[in-house]
Coordinates of all heavy atoms in Angstrom, one line a residue:
M24 N 4.8 -16.6 -1.2 CA 4.1 -15.3 -0.9 C 2.6 -15.6 -1.2 O 2.3 -15.9 -2.3 CB 4.6 -14.2 -1.8 CG 6.0 -13.7 -1.3 SD 5.9 -12.7 0.2 CE 7.6 -12.3 0.4
V25 N 1.8 -15.3 -0.2 CA 0.3 -15.4 -0.4 C -0.4 -14.1 -0.3 O -0.7 -13.7 0.9 CB -0.3 -16.5 0.4 CG1 -1.7 -16.8 0.2 CG2 0.5 -17.8 0.4
P26 N -0.6 -13.2 -1.3 CA -1.2 -11.9 -1.1 C -2.6 -11.9 -1.3 O -3.2 -12.9 -1.7 CB -0.6 -11.1 -2.4 CG -0.4 -12.2 -3.4 CD 0.0 -13.5 -2.8
L27 N -3.3 -11.0 -0.6 CA -4.8 -10.8 -0.9 C -4.9 -10.2 -2.3 O -4.1 -9.5 -2.7 CB -5.3 -9.8 0.1 CG -6.8 -9.5 0.1 CD1 -7.6 -10.7 0.6 CD2 -7.1 -8.3 1.0
S28 N -6.1 -10.4 -3.0 CA -6.2 -10.1 -4.3 C -6.8 -8.7 -4.5 O -7.7 -8.4 -5.3 CB -7.2 -11.0 -5.0 OG -8.5 -11.1 -4.3
A29 N -6.2 -7.7 -3.7 CA -6.5 -6.3 -3.9 C -5.2 -5.6 -4.2 O -4.1 -5.9 -3.7 CB -7.2 -5.7 -2.7
Q30 N -5.2 -4.5 -5.0 CA -4.0 -4.0 -5.6 C -3.0 -3.6 -4.5 O -1.8 -3.9 -4.7 CB -4.3 -2.8 -6.5 CG -3.2 -2.1 -7.1 CD -2.2 -3.0 -8.0 OE1 -2.9 -3.8 -8.6 NE2 -0.9 -2.7 -8.0
G31 N -3.3 -2.9 -3.5 CA -2.3 -2.5 -2.5 C -1.7 -3.6 -1.9 O -0.5 -3.6 -1.4
H32 N -2.4 -4.7 -1.7 CA -1.8 -6.0 -1.1 C -1.0 -6.7 -2.1 O 0.1 -7.1 -1.7 CB -3.0 -6.9 -0.6 CG -3.9 -6.2 0.4 ND1 -3.9 -6.6 1.7 CD2 -4.7 -5.1 0.3 CE1 -4.9 -5.9 2.4 NE2 -5.3 -4.9 1.5
L33 N -1.4 -6.9 -3.3 CA -0.6 -7.6 -4.3 C 0.7 -6.8 -4.5 O 1.8 -7.4 -4.6 CB -1.4 -7.4 -5.6 CG -2.7 -8.4 -5.7 CD1 -3.4 -8.0 -7.0 CD2 -2.3 -9.9 -5.9
N34 N 0.7 -5.5 -4.5 CA 1.9 -4.7 -4.8 C 2.8 -4.8 -3.7 O 4.1 -4.9 -3.9 CB 1.4 -3.2 -5.0 CG 2.6 -2.3 -5.5 OD1 3.2 -2.6 -6.5 ND2 2.8 -1.2 -4.8
Q35 N 2.4 -4.7 -2.4 CA 3.4 -4.7 -1.4 C 4.1 -6.1 -1.3 O 5.4 -6.0 -1.0 CB 2.6 -4.5 0.0 CG 2.1 -3.0 0.2 CD 1.5 -2.8 1.6 OE1 2.3 -2.7 2.5 NE2 0.3 -2.7 1.7
L36 N 3.4 -7.1 -1.4 CA 4.0 -8.5 -1.3 C 4.9 -8.7 -2.6 O 5.8 -9.5 -2.4 CB 3.0 -9.6 -1.1 CG 2.6 -9.6 0.3 CD1 1.7 -10.8 0.6 CD2 3.7 -9.7 1.4
L37 N 4.6 -8.1 -3.7 CA 5.4 -8.4 -4.8 C 6.8 -7.6 -4.6 O 7.8 -8.1 -4.9 CB 4.7 -7.8 -6.1 CG 5.5 -8.0 -7.5 CD1 6.0 -9.4 -7.6 CD2 4.7 -7.5 -8.6
H38 N 6.7 -6.5 -4.0 CA 7.9 -5.7 -3.7 C 8.8 -6.5 -2.7 O 10.0 -6.5 -2.6 CB 7.7 -4.3 -3.3 CG 7.5 -3.3 -4.4 ND1 8.4 -3.0 -5.4 CD2 6.4 -2.5 -4.8 CE1 8.0 -2.2 -6.3 NE2 6.7 -1.9 -6.0
L39 N 8.1 -7.0 -1.7 CA 8.8 -7.8 -0.6 C 9.4 -9.0 -1.3 O 10.6 -9.3 -0.9 CB 7.8 -8.2 0.4 CG 8.4 -9.1 1.6 CD1 9.6 -8.4 2.3 CD2 7.4 -9.4 2.6
S40 N 8.8 -9.6 -2.3 CA 9.4 -10.7 -3.0 C 10.6 -10.3 -3.6 O 11.6 -11.0 -3.7 CB 8.4 -11.2 -4.1 OG 7.2 -11.7 -3.5
R41 N 10.7 -9.1 -4.2 CA 11.9 -8.6 -4.8 C 13.0 -8.6 -3.8 O 14.2 -8.9 -4.0 CB 11.6 -7.2 -5.5 CG 12.8 -6.5 -6.0 CD 12.3 -5.1 -6.5 NE 11.8 -4.4 -5.4 CZ 12.6 -3.6 -4.6 NH1 13.8 -3.4 -4.7 NH2 11.9 -2.9 -3.6
L42 N 12.7 -8.0 -2.6 CA 13.7 -7.9 -1.7 C 14.3 -9.2 -1.1 O 15.5 -9.3 -1.0 CB 13.2 -7.1 -0.5 CG 12.8 -5.5 -0.7 CD1 12.2 -5.0 0.6 CD2 14.1 -4.8 -1.0
I43 N 13.4 -10.1 -0.9 CA 13.8 -11.4 -0.4 C 14.5 -12.2 -1.4 O 15.6 -12.8 -1.2 CB 12.7 -12.2 0.3 CG1 12.2 -11.4 1.5 CG2 13.1 -13.6 0.6 CD1 11.0 -12.1 2.2
S44 N 14.1 -12.2 -2.6 CA 14.7 -12.9 -3.8 C 16.1 -12.5 -4.0 O 17.0 -13.2 -4.5 CB 13.8 -12.9 -5.0 OG 13.8 -11.6 -5.6
S45 N 16.4 -11.2 -3.8 CA 17.7 -10.6 -4.1 C 18.7 -11.1 -2.9 O 19.9 -10.8 -3.1 CB 17.7 -9.1 -4.1 OG 17.2 -8.5 -2.8
C46 N 18.2 -11.7 -1.9 CA 19.1 -12.3 -0.9 C 19.5 -13.8 -1.2 O 19.8 -14.6 -0.3 CB 18.5 -12.3 0.6 SG 18.1 -10.6 1.1
N47 N 19.3 -14.1 -2.5 CA 19.6 -15.5 -3.0 C 18.7 -16.5 -2.3 O 19.1 -17.6 -2.1 CB 21.1 -15.9 -2.7 CG 22.0 -15.0 -3.5 OD1 21.9 -14.8 -4.7 ND2 23.1 -14.4 -2.9
I48 N 17.5 -16.1 -2.2 CA 16.4 -17.0 -1.6 C 15.3 -17.1 -2.7 O 14.8 -16.0 -3.0 CB 15.9 -16.5 -0.3 CG1 16.9 -16.5 0.7 CG2 14.7 -17.4 0.1 CD1 16.5 -15.9 2.1
P49 N 15.0 -18.3 -3.2 CA 13.9 -18.4 -4.2 C 12.5 -18.0 -3.5 O 12.3 -18.4 -2.4 CB 13.9 -19.9 -4.7 CG 14.6 -20.5 -3.6 CD 15.6 -19.6 -2.9
V50 N 11.8 -17.1 -4.2 CA 10.5 -16.7 -3.8 C 9.4 -17.1 -4.8 O 9.7 -16.9 -6.0 CB 10.4 -15.2 -3.6 CG1 9.0 -14.7 -3.1 CG2 11.4 -14.8 -2.6
H51 N 8.3 -17.7 -4.3 CA 7.3 -18.3 -5.1 C 6.0 -17.4 -4.9 O 5.4 -17.6 -3.8 CB 7.0 -19.7 -4.9 CG 8.3 -20.5 -5.2 ND1 8.5 -21.1 -6.4 CD2 9.4 -20.8 -4.5 CE1 9.6 -21.7 -6.4 NE2 10.2 -21.6 -5.3
Y52 N 5.5 -16.6 -5.8 CA 4.5 -15.7 -5.6 C 3.2 -16.3 -6.2 O 3.2 -16.7 -7.3 CB 4.7 -14.3 -6.3 CG 3.8 -13.2 -6.1 CD1 4.0 -12.2 -5.1 CD2 2.7 -13.0 -6.9 CE1 3.2 -11.2 -5.1 CE2 1.9 -12.0 -6.8 CZ 2.1 -11.0 -5.9 OH 1.3 -10.0 -5.7
V53 N 2.1 -16.5 -5.3 CA 1.0 -17.3 -5.8 C -0.3 -16.5 -5.9 O -0.4 -15.5 -5.2 CB 0.8 -18.5 -4.9 CG1 2.0 -19.4 -4.7 CG2 0.4 -18.2 -3.5
G54 N -1.2 -17.0 -6.7 CA -2.5 -16.3 -6.8 C -3.2 -16.7 -7.9 O -2.8 -17.6 -8.8
A55 N -4.5 -16.2 -8.1 CA -5.3 -16.5 -9.2 C -4.6 -15.9 -10.5 O -4.0 -14.9 -10.4 CB -6.7 -16.1 -9.1
T56 N -4.9 -16.5 -11.6 CA -4.3 -16.1 -12.8 C -4.5 -14.6 -13.2 O -3.6 -13.8 -13.4 CB -4.9 -16.8 -14.1 OG1 -4.6 -18.2 -13.9 CG2 -4.3 -16.4 -15.4
T57 N -5.7 -14.1 -13.0 CA -5.9 -12.7 -13.2 C -5.3 -11.7 -12.3 O -4.8 -10.7 -12.6 CB -7.5 -12.3 -13.2 OG1 -7.7 -11.0 -13.7 CG2 -8.1 -12.5 -11.9
H58 N -5.1 -12.2 -11.0 CA -4.4 -11.3 -10.1 C -2.8 -11.4 -10.2 O -2.2 -10.3 -9.9 CB -4.9 -11.7 -8.7 CG -6.4 -11.5 -8.5 ND1 -7.2 -12.5 -8.1 CD2 -7.2 -10.4 -8.7 CE1 -8.4 -12.1 -8.1 NE2 -8.4 -10.8 -8.4
I59 N -2.4 -12.5 -10.7 CA -0.9 -12.5 -11.0 C -0.6 -11.6 -12.2 O 0.3 -10.8 -12.2 CB -0.4 -14.0 -11.4 CG1 -0.6 -14.9 -10.1 CG2 1.0 -13.9 -11.8 CD1 0.4 -14.6 -9.1
R60 N -1.5 -11.6 -13.2 CA -1.4 -10.7 -14.3 C -1.5 -9.2 -13.9 O -0.6 -8.4 -14.3 CB -2.5 -11.1 -15.3 CG -2.4 -10.1 -16.6 CD -3.6 -10.4 -17.4 NE -3.7 -9.5 -18.5 CZ -4.7 -9.3 -19.3 NH1 -5.9 -10.0 -19.1 NH2 -4.8 -8.4 -20.3
Q61 N -2.4 -8.9 -12.9 CA -2.6 -7.6 -12.4 C -1.3 -7.1 -11.7 O -0.9 -6.0 -11.9 CB -3.8 -7.5 -11.5 CG -4.1 -6.2 -10.8 CD -5.3 -6.3 -9.9 OE1 -6.1 -7.1 -10.1 NE2 -5.3 -5.4 -8.9
A62 N -0.7 -7.9 -10.9 CA 0.4 -7.5 -10.1 C 1.6 -7.3 -11.0 O 2.3 -6.3 -10.8 CB 0.8 -8.6 -9.1
K63 N 1.8 -8.0 -12.0 CA 3.0 -7.9 -12.9 C 2.7 -6.6 -13.7 O 3.7 -5.8 -14.0 CB 3.1 -9.1 -13.9 CG 3.6 -10.3 -13.2 CD 3.7 -11.5 -14.3 CE 4.0 -12.7 -13.7 NZ 3.9 -13.8 -14.9
F64 N 1.5 -6.3 -14.2 CA 1.3 -5.2 -15.2 C 1.4 -4.0 -14.4 O 1.9 -3.0 -15.1 CB -0.2 -5.4 -15.7 CG -0.7 -4.3 -16.6 CD1 -0.2 -4.1 -17.8 CD2 -1.6 -3.4 -16.1 CE1 -0.6 -3.1 -18.7 CE2 -2.1 -2.3 -17.0 CZ -1.5 -2.2 -18.2
R65 N 1.0 -3.8 -13.2 CA 1.0 -2.6 -12.5 C 2.2 -2.2 -11.6 O 2.3 -1.1 -11.1 CB -0.2 -2.5 -11.6 CG -1.5 -2.4 -12.3 CD -2.8 -2.4 -11.4 NE -3.9 -2.0 -12.1 CZ -5.1 -1.9 -11.6 NH1 -5.2 -2.2 -10.2 NH2 -6.3 -1.5 -12.2
V66 N 3.1 -3.2 -11.5 CA 4.2 -3.0 -10.6 C 5.1 -1.8 -11.1 O 5.3 -1.6 -12.3 CB 5.2 -4.2 -10.5 CG1 5.9 -4.6 -11.7 CG2 6.1 -4.1 -9.2
H67 N 5.7 -1.0 -10.3 CA 6.5 0.2 -10.5 C 7.9 -0.1 -9.9 O 8.0 -0.6 -8.9 CB 6.0 1.5 -10.0 CG 4.7 1.8 -10.5 ND1 3.7 2.6 -9.8 CD2 4.1 1.6 -11.8 CE1 2.7 2.8 -10.6 NE2 2.9 2.2 -11.7
G68 N 9.0 0.4 -10.6 CA 10.3 0.4 -10.0 C 11.1 -0.7 -10.3 O 12.4 -0.7 -10.1
F69 N 10.5 -1.9 -10.8 CA 11.5 -3.0 -11.3 C 10.6 -3.8 -12.2 O 9.4 -3.7 -12.3 CB 11.9 -3.8 -10.1 CG 10.9 -4.8 -9.5 CD1 11.2 -6.2 -9.6 CD2 9.8 -4.5 -8.8 CE1 10.4 -7.1 -9.2 CE2 8.9 -5.4 -8.2 CZ 9.2 -6.8 -8.5
D70 N 11.4 -4.7 -12.9 CA 10.7 -5.6 -13.9 C 10.7 -7.0 -13.2 O 11.7 -7.7 -13.2 CB 11.5 -5.6 -15.2 CG 10.7 -6.4 -16.2 OD1 9.8 -7.2 -15.9 OD2 11.3 -6.5 -17.4
P71 N 9.5 -7.6 -12.8 CA 9.3 -8.8 -12.2 C 9.7 -9.9 -13.2 O 10.1 -11.0 -12.6 CB 8.0 -8.9 -11.7 CG 7.2 -7.9 -12.6 CD 8.1 -6.8 -12.9
L72 N 9.7 -9.7 -14.4 CA 10.0 -10.8 -15.3 C 11.5 -11.0 -15.5 O 11.9 -12.1 -15.9 CB 9.4 -10.5 -16.7 CG 7.9 -10.3 -16.9 CD1 7.5 -9.9 -18.2 CD2 7.2 -11.5 -16.3

Side-chain angles (χ1 to χ4, degrees):
M24 290 285 176
V25 186
L27 182 72
S28 57
Q30 179 59 34
H32 300 246
L33 293 166
N34 189 54
Q35 290 188 72
L36 281 187
L37 184 51
H38 279 300
L39 178 58
S40 299
R41 173 184 60 89
L42 291 175
I43 293 176
S44 67
S45 64
C46 298
N47 295 311
I48 296 173
V50 177
H51 301 264
Y52 186 97
V53 307
T56 299
T57 187
H58 299 123
I59 295 287
R60 180 186 173 196
Q61 177 181 338
K63 290 178 183 177
F64 177 72
R65 289 178 167 181
V66 70
H67 296 151
F69 85 109
D70 184 353
L72 299 180

